[in-house]
Amino acid sequence: SGCGICVKKCPFKAISIVNLPDELEEECSHRYGPNAFKLYRLPVPSPGMVLGLLGKNGTGKTTTIRILSGKIKPNLGRYDNPPDWPEIITYYRGSPLQQYFEKLSVGKLKVVHKPQYVDAIPRVVSGTVKELLNRVDERGILSDLTEELNLKHILDRDVNVLSGGELQLVVIAACVCRDADVYLFDEPSSYLDVRQRIKAAKAIRNLVKEDKIVVVAEHDLAILDYLSDQVCIFYGKPGVYGIVSHVHGVRDGINIYLDGFIPDENIRFRREPIRFHVKPPTPIWPIEEIMLSWNTMTKTYDGFKLNVRPGEIHKGEVIGILGPNGIGKTTFVKLIAGIELPDNAKTSPHKLKVSYKPQYISAEYEGSVKDLLKAAANTEFETSWYKVEILRSLHVESLLDRIVSDLSGGELQLVAIAACLSRRADIYLLDEPSAYLDVEERLAMARVIKRIVEAREAAAFVVEHDVVAQDFIADRLMVFTGKPGVEGVAMPPKPLREGMNLFLKEVEITFRRDPKTKRPRVNKENSKLDRYQKEIGEYYYIE
């Protein structure tokens, strides 16, 4: 009846009653079942354009990609009596989707789909990287592509021993090598460092030169901006319903998403806009505020050596860690955590209490999310401060009664971050906390880390490849240089702007600031602004 009593009485928050505009009911594209997720409208991709999909997790981006790939037939909301292809095609008459579904229904449209979670691929694919890519090289571009994506050194490795970043690049290469009409990429930047993200984006963008249809769902705003020509915004209530906006130009589309208001539809889907701030000068901490200082350290493995230069971190400070994959960032974090010991050392370099969220998280815990967080937070779990600052701010309240092993990748990441921050510690170590998180979750995560560190007079190291997230969270930066997989050098922490300039100069990428939202934007390679900023040595942004 819409009175709301059921919602208030249900102790598990399992019921959501949502009122939607009546006119949207005629635009339902797909529904999974009774009281299940419902998707309104579909994006309209165009040949020769990269269409970016931007929105919160659970609002239908992956469902849309599965529909466009032909893995799901849109049922127009009639889950109990799904329509056949002729009826679906008639429903979309007058739209470019009519012709799209006509070809898809008779097998005249060849579609290549890169799935969201690439870590499941070794379970169904075997052999070496070279064997896999040779099997799918229908366009005869494998030689150039392996050079472009820097895959030569892993060609003879077995697929099931690759790291997350290596596997992501191999899967992207396999998709680009295929000769198809439509290419669909679901979160292609996961596990990749900044340089790899730009290289992958270039490889994907090259497809539009041949008038292909390319659709990309991506949460890294800088990469989505660099990669896309157009953007569709997904909004709604995650897990309940999703609505697809009309197509917008990439800059306007991302700015509209950050504003939370779609002018052409007169729809506000977020109360407050998201704004970035040009960083003020890094504060000067007094010596007594030093939380931890470290001397020169080395850590040697078979075939790899990490050299750490002296540095310090202060109470209330968040140090971002940037560098390519395989350069020793995780090794440094493990040295600080005491999981690994420096060469010729028998004990950890400090006696501080540490809370660590590793790069790769597993769902081996057998209990509920509530049990896990309660064990981490102890008596603080029941306080109003904890509920507001961690549970509500990280959006994990609704997950408390879920079993940990049943969580999705994004949900598991949020719970792992919450568990790390729930522990009372002097130093928090978070290794790639934004993996599988959407834009809003990434920025919420950054805010929570900052607030927890300041409130507890603790310190934090955050390993993160998303430059936008680092810009949001870091007070100073540690840049790792060297030769990936062979030797790494951990530089001392530097002010944010100096650190970004050092890092971006190494990867030969320049950023500018959007004049409206102040978000970092990647300059197109060899553009006038790109050349000018490189000439004056300002790779991060110009004041």
Side-chain angles (χ1 to χ4, degrees):
S1 65
C3 64
I5 293 175
C6 299
V7 179
K8 293 172 184 174
K9 286 293 183 184
C10 177
F12 307 110
K13 296 185 179 178
I15 301 172
S16 293
I17 296 177
V18 181
N19 295 318
L20 291 169
D22 292 337
E23 61 270 18
L24 270 182
E25 289 303 320
E26 296 180 3
E27 299 183 67
C28 182
S29 298
H30 191 74
R31 187 166 194 165
Y32 283 101
N35 299 316
F37 181 80
K38 203 171 186 180
L39 178 66
Y40 294 91
R41 305 185 194 140
L42 285 173
V44 182
S46 304
M49 293 274 193
V50 177
L51 177 63
L53 309 183
L54 175 61
K56 296 180 73 171
N57 284 333
T59 52
K61 298 186 300 299
T62 296
T63 295
T64 295
I65 284 180
R66 288 172 64 82
I67 289 173
L68 294 176
S69 71
K71 293 179 180 177
I72 294 178
K73 186 192 289 186
N75 60 27
L76 310 182
R78 288 160 36 198
Y79 55 88
D80 52 348
N81 180 29
D84 53 17
W85 275 118
E87 188 178 347
I88 294 169
I89 292 164
T90 301
Y91 176 82
Y92 288 104
R93 67 182 179 274
S95 158
L97 288 171
Q98 178 186 4
Q99 188 179 16
Y100 187 96
F101 286 131
E102 278 177 354
K103 291 181 179 179
L104 189 65
S105 64
V106 295
K108 289 186 177 179
L109 200 66
K110 187 174 179 182
V111 181
V112 171
H113 174 207
K114 189 211 82 71
Q116 180 179 8
Y117 300 114
V118 296
D119 41 4
I121 286 174
R123 299 176 203 157
V124 294
V125 175
S126 59
T128 65
V129 171
K130 185 188 288 186
E131 291 168 348
L132 168 64
L133 295 180
N134 278 328
R135 284 200 299 266
V136 298
D137 185 22
E138 299 165 354
R139 299 172 61 212
I141 62 168
L142 181 56
S143 178
D144 292 337
L145 198 59
T146 51
E147 183 78 38
E148 187 179 346
L149 295 180
N150 195 25
L151 296 175
K152 284 190 173 181
H153 66 289
I154 62 169
L155 287 176
D156 294 321
R157 290 189 198 168
D158 202 272
V159 173
N160 59 20
V161 300
L162 299 179
S163 68
E166 291 166 343
L167 191 59
Q168 185 76 271
L169 285 175
V170 168
V171 175
I172 290 171
C175 291
V176 173
C177 280
R178 302 280 299 277
D179 187 15
D181 305 298
V182 181
Y183 296 83
L184 308 171
F185 296 87
D186 201 346
E187 297 190 27
S189 75
S190 298
Y191 300 120
L192 302 184
D193 62 42
V194 176
R195 188 197 293 267
Q196 290 170 330
R197 290 180 185 200
I198 296 293
K199 287 180 180 291
K202 286 180 183 176
I204 294 170
R205 272 210 66 83
N206 285 337
L207 293 167
V208 301
K209 295 177 181 177
E210 301 177 30
D211 220 30
K212 307 291 187 181
I213 291 175
V214 182
V215 180
V216 180
E218 180 54 66
H219 294 307
D220 185 329
L221 288 180
I223 297 302
L224 185 74
D225 190 3
Y226 182 84
L227 180 57
S228 306
D229 299 297
Q230 300 173 323
V231 165
C232 272
I233 296 163
F234 284 65
Y235 61 98
K237 189 172 178 64
V240 180
Y241 72 94
I243 303 170
V244 184
S245 78
H246 301 134
V247 174
H248 297 89
V250 62
R251 178 181 176 271
D252 288 341
I254 294 176
N255 285 351
I256 285 170
Y257 179 75
L258 294 175
D259 277 342
F261 176 71
I262 306 176
D264 56 309
E265 300 178 34
N266 195 28
I267 292 289
R268 177 163 293 285
F269 58 88
R270 193 190 312 109
R271 289 183 182 178
E272 299 292 334
I274 296 171
R275 287 287 180 266
F276 295 82
H277 302 285
V278 178
K279 294 279 181 167
T282 303
I284 299 173
W285 281 275
I287 294 176
E288 60 267 20
E289 291 293 308
I290 292 176
M291 173 64 78
L292 169 69
S293 60
W294 59 92
N295 298 318
T296 299
M297 293 187 287
T298 60
K299 180 63 181 177
T300 306
Y301 298 98
D302 185 19
F304 179 78
K305 183 177 183 180
L306 173 65
N307 296 292
V308 181
R309 294 184 181 172
E312 75 282 323
I313 188 170
H314 305 85
K315 291 179 182 177
E317 183 179 20
V318 177
I319 289 182
I321 295 177
L322 269 175
N325 283 332
I327 203 73
K329 301 185 302 298
T330 297
T331 299
F332 171 77
V333 167
K334 287 182 176 179
L335 288 172
I336 298 297
I339 297 170
E340 298 279 1
L341 296 177
D343 294 344
N344 305 319
K346 295 181 180 179
T347 60
S348 174
H350 64 84
K351 301 296 181 185
L352 298 171
K353 191 173 180 182
V354 169
S355 182
Y356 172 46
K357 187 209 81 71
Q359 179 180 4
Y360 300 111
I361 49 180
S362 62
E364 295 176 358
Y365 186 81
E366 295 181 357
S368 68
V369 172
K370 185 176 182 179
D371 295 335
L372 174 64
L373 297 183
K374 210 168 185 178
N378 293 317
T379 56
E380 203 168 56
F381 183 83
E382 301 295 341
T383 64
S384 58
W385 179 89
Y386 182 85
K387 290 173 183 175
V388 171
E389 292 295 331
I390 293 184
L391 297 183
R392 198 168 300 163
S393 296
L394 287 174
H395 311 298
V396 295
E397 270 187 315
S398 60
L399 305 176
L400 289 177
D401 294 307
R402 298 268 301 277
I403 301 301
V404 173
S405 57
D406 294 338
L407 298 177
S408 69
E411 291 168 340
L412 188 61
Q413 186 73 264
L414 285 173
V415 169
I417 294 166
C420 175
L421 297 176
S422 294
R423 304 182 194 102
R424 281 278 176 177
D426 300 306
I427 295 179
Y428 294 92
L429 305 168
L430 296 104
D431 200 344
E432 297 196 27
S434 76
Y436 299 126
L437 300 187
D438 63 42
V439 175
E440 293 184 49
E441 289 169 339
R442 290 179 185 203
L443 301 183
M445 170 268 296
R447 287 193 196 100
V448 172
I449 292 172
K450 291 282 286 182
R451 287 205 300 264
I452 297 296
V453 164
E454 289 172 4
R456 292 178 174 167
E457 294 189 333
F461 291 93
V462 179
V463 179
E464 183 55 69
H465 293 304
D466 185 337
V467 171
V468 175
Q470 284 285 29
D471 180 78
F472 215 75
I473 191 173
D475 296 307
R476 290 192 297 162
L477 283 178
M478 278 185 73
V479 178
F480 281 60
T481 63
K483 189 174 181 181
V486 179
E487 184 178 21
V489 178
M491 307 293 284
K494 297 180 181 295
L496 185 74
R497 188 169 175 183
E498 186 182 336
M500 280 289 191
N501 271 325
L502 175 64
F503 171 71
L504 294 174
K505 186 175 183 178
E506 284 228 338
V507 296
E508 299 179 320
I509 298 165
T510 60
F511 278 77
R512 66 190 184 280
R513 289 275 181 178
D514 183 83
K516 183 179 180 182
T517 62
K518 306 301 180 187
R519 63 184 170 90
R521 301 185 68 196
V522 183
N523 290 322
K524 295 289 190 281
E525 187 179 16
N526 213 32
S527 66
K528 184 178 178 180
L529 192 55
D530 180 60
R531 294 196 306 270
Y532 172 66
Q533 287 185 221
K534 285 176 178 175
E535 187 180 317
I536 65 172
E538 287 288 354
Y539 286 73
Y540 188 30
Y541 61 88
I542 303 170
E543 290 285 10

